[in-house]
Amino acid sequence: MNDMVPTNVLAKQGVAAVGGIAGGIGLMILGGLPSLFGIIAGGVVGLIGLGAMGSHDPADKRAGLIALVAGGLTVLSKVGIFSGLASSFLGLATVGLLGMGAWNAYKFYKGLKSRA
C-alpha cells in the first residue's frame, strides 16, 4: 500500500540524508588534504567531536563520536606507522557515510512521493 509517511519521520530521513552525504564529502576532503593541513584539520574535527560528546542529547553524542573518530582517523592517516590502515578505515567510513546518505535520500524521496 501507499501509506503517507509521517512528517517527523520524513524530517529525520531528510536530515540523515543531508548529514550522511555532507559527512562523506567532508571525509573525502579531509582525506585529500596534505599532511600538515590534514593533521590540523583532523585535530580540529576531533576536538569538535569531543565537545559534542559532552551533550545530553543522544543524537549529539552519536554525531560527536563520529566526528571524533573521523578526526582521529584523519590524523592517523597522515602520520605514524598506522597510516595505511587508518587511510583504509577513512575510505571505508567515507563510502559508508555516502551510502547511508544516499539510502536516506531515497527513503526521503519515496516518503515525499507518497504524500503527493
Side-chain angles (χ1 to χ4, degrees):
M1 264 209 277
N2 211 5
D3 293 333
M4 189 161 75
V5 178
T7 304
N8 62 344
V9 172
L10 199 58
K12 285 180 184 179
Q13 290 171 345
V15 169
V18 170
I21 293 170
I25 291 171
L27 282 181
M28 276 196 289
I29 292 170
L30 283 175
L33 289 174
S35 292
L36 180 62
F37 294 122
I39 292 170
I40 293 170
V44 169
V45 169
L47 287 175
I48 290 171
L50 192 61
M53 287 185 64
S55 174
H56 295 291
D57 185 18
D60 288 345
K61 286 185 179 188
R62 191 176 325 120
L65 179 63
I66 290 170
L68 180 64
V69 170
L73 283 175
T74 302
V75 170
L76 285 176
S77 72
K78 302 300 178 189
V79 295
I81 59 174
F82 300 112
S83 64
L85 184 62
S87 293
S88 298
F89 281 135
L90 192 63
L92 185 63
T94 300
V95 170
L97 279 172
L98 287 172
M100 183 204 69
W103 175 251
N104 280 307
Y106 173 75
K107 290 189 326 185
F108 177 75
Y109 172 74
K110 294 293 278 186
L112 276 180
K113 199 171 164 186
S114 75
R115 295 177 140 252

